[in-house]
Amino acid sequence: MANTNKYTLIDGRKVASEIKKEIADRVAELKRNNKKLPHLAIILVGDDGGSTTYVDGKVKACKEVGFHYSLLRFADTISEERLLKHVDQINNDEDIDGFIVQLPLPPRISVERVTEKVLPEKDVDGFTNENFGSITSANPHIFPATPFGVMELLRRYNVDTNGKHCVVVGASRLVGAPLSMMLAEQGRATVTICHKYTKDLASHTRQADILLVAVGKPGLITGDMVKEGVVVIDIGTTRVEDTTKERGFSLKGDVDFDSVAPKCSMITPVPGGVGPMTIVSLLMNTLKAAEQNTR
Ligand code: NAP
């Protein structure tokens, strides 16, 4: 059936698979030239179902593009001290170019202490304070993965952020805050950041040329909160019970798609929008780390 919608659906799966193909081509070239192949290590603590699924996705992506990978699994009883020792070992392993510590960690373990222990040049999630700060430097190192994926999605759909008013809802350390900085720095946009304490959220979102939402509250943004022609990027992914699905849940974004989409020029779906781009950002960051790994 013909698509009669006036908006463009931003297809993160399609863009992600194009980028994976580009990375796989680069890996094939490295192989042909007998160069070392990129190596990603993943630390997984405990057996949380969500984390295991995310890690499976990352391992699958490594296989698809031809990266080497190492998966280090630890019981959730591991002490912080021991985990930090493993982080150190990976830091010192010359064959490993990039690594990630899958979050969340057990509450006894300090996420900040662990993520800060990762060498910035191997921090392909872009979580360290050094990589966060480098967003505003003349020569940024490694961009935080999810914001990087969002910026790449905008770029590949020719969404020009230069001089536009971007409104970011959600100001977390991992998503909203670095995304706002990247939109202002690399994207040259005028940026409004909204968070839990923002009064009259709709008065801000209605001004957005580009609205980017990373909160984790399904349906937070409704049709009356956006202007005609807006580009909407929905980063939120919340598992909601769904007995019609074999796995018992479905993923919901922060945007009420049915009321918002008809007013948009472009919009990301959930799932299939930003999600696939986050994994691909990890691959792009690992390739970059490998190409700079001269140790
Ligand atoms: P988070 O750490 O919980 O941060 C949520 C942010 O939203 C915080 O800044 C919070 O403010 C703010 N907030 C809470 N209620 C709000 C409201 N009513 N209005 C405006 N802002 C509000 O979560 P996160 O890690 O940033 O993730 C956000 C969402 O993105 C989640 O659904 C997560 O699953 C999803 N996510 C998706 C991907 C992907 O690849 N698609 C990657 C990462 C995250 P306070 O800090 O003041 O509470």
Side-chain angles (χ1 to χ4, degrees):
M1 208 161 70
N3 179 6
T4 52
N5 298 319
K6 66 178 175 124
Y7 59 84
T8 298
L9 200 60
I10 297 180
D11 189 342
R13 286 199 186 105
K14 182 165 154 274
V15 174
S17 79
E18 283 164 10
I19 297 175
K20 274 194 222 159
K21 169 87 179 55
E22 291 163 16
I23 296 174
D25 288 349
R26 177 77 187 119
V27 172
E29 192 185 326
L30 290 171
K31 217 179 222 168
R32 273 197 305 278
N33 295 328
N34 291 320
K35 295 268 173 61
K36 182 185 128 28
L37 301 186
H39 185 166
L40 175 72
I42 303 169
I43 290 183
L44 175 61
V45 179
D47 51 13
D48 170 76
S51 295
T52 307
T53 309
Y54 288 131
V55 165
D56 288 348
K58 290 164 189 174
V59 166
K60 183 168 165 270
C62 283
K63 288 180 185 165
E64 279 170 20
V65 298
F67 283 3
H68 290 154
Y69 69 91
S70 302
L71 175 57
L72 293 93
R73 296 193 72 147
F74 302 105
D76 63 3
T77 48
I78 191 171
S79 68
E80 182 177 300
E81 199 189 352
R82 202 139 185 83
L83 186 58
L84 290 172
K85 281 208 174 109
H86 285 289
V87 170
D88 245 348
Q89 271 169 12
I90 303 178
N91 280 339
N92 293 325
D93 184 332
E94 294 195 354
D95 194 65
I96 294 174
D97 303 294
F99 77 104
I100 60 170
V101 181
Q102 183 65 43
L103 301 181
L105 292 172
R108 304 169 281 106
I109 298 180
S110 159
V111 171
E112 179 157 23
R113 225 170 285 143
V114 173
T115 50
E116 274 308 299
K117 188 83 175 169
V118 176
L119 272 183
E121 58 267 37
K122 293 194 179 195
D123 165 35
V124 288
D125 257 333
F127 286 170
T128 55
N129 288 331
E130 184 166 330
N131 282 325
F132 185 79
S134 93
I135 292 173
T136 54
S137 78
N139 186 19
H141 312 312
I142 289 182
F143 289 121
T146 299
F148 185 25
V150 169
M151 297 297 286
E152 192 61 20
L153 205 52
L154 292 172
R155 195 176 72 77
R156 296 209 178 212
Y157 270 83
N158 297 316
V159 177
D160 186 10
T161 51
N162 197 327
K164 297 281 167 53
H165 187 181
C166 292
V167 176
V168 180
V169 185
S172 74
R173 171 75 174 68
L174 303 187
V175 187
L179 177 59
S180 305
M181 282 160 61
M182 288 172 73
L183 286 162
E185 279 294 322
Q186 286 77 40
R188 298 178 178 178
T190 301
V191 182
T192 299
I193 308 175
C194 300
H195 44 64
K196 202 165 63 180
Y197 305 101
T198 299
K199 294 195 177 98
D200 192 4
L201 181 62
S203 69
H204 298 280
T205 57
R206 271 189 215 113
Q207 291 177 41
D209 300 316
I210 304 168
L211 177 64
L212 308 102
V213 194
V215 173
K217 293 212 160 107
L220 177 70
I221 306 296
T222 48
D224 57 323
M225 296 170 73
V226 299
K227 71 177 180 189
E228 284 288 338
V230 63
V231 174
V232 171
I233 305 293
D234 188 355
I235 300 154
T237 37
T238 305
R239 286 182 174 197
V240 296
E241 197 186 309
D242 185 347
T243 50
T244 67
K245 299 268 188 263
E246 200 180 314
R247 56 188 184 177
F249 67 87
S250 53
L251 290 180
K252 289 271 177 245
D254 291 335
V255 174
D256 175 40
F257 190 90
D258 290 345
S259 65
V260 172
K263 294 177 85 173
C264 295
S265 55
M266 293 189 193
I267 184 168
T268 54
V270 176
V274 173
M277 293 299 294
T278 295
I279 290 188
V280 145
S281 301
L282 274 180
L283 299 176
M284 290 192 285
N285 280 343
T286 304
L287 182 62
K288 182 175 182 192
E291 292 184 329
Q292 291 179 347
N293 180 1
T294 50
R295 285 177 296 274

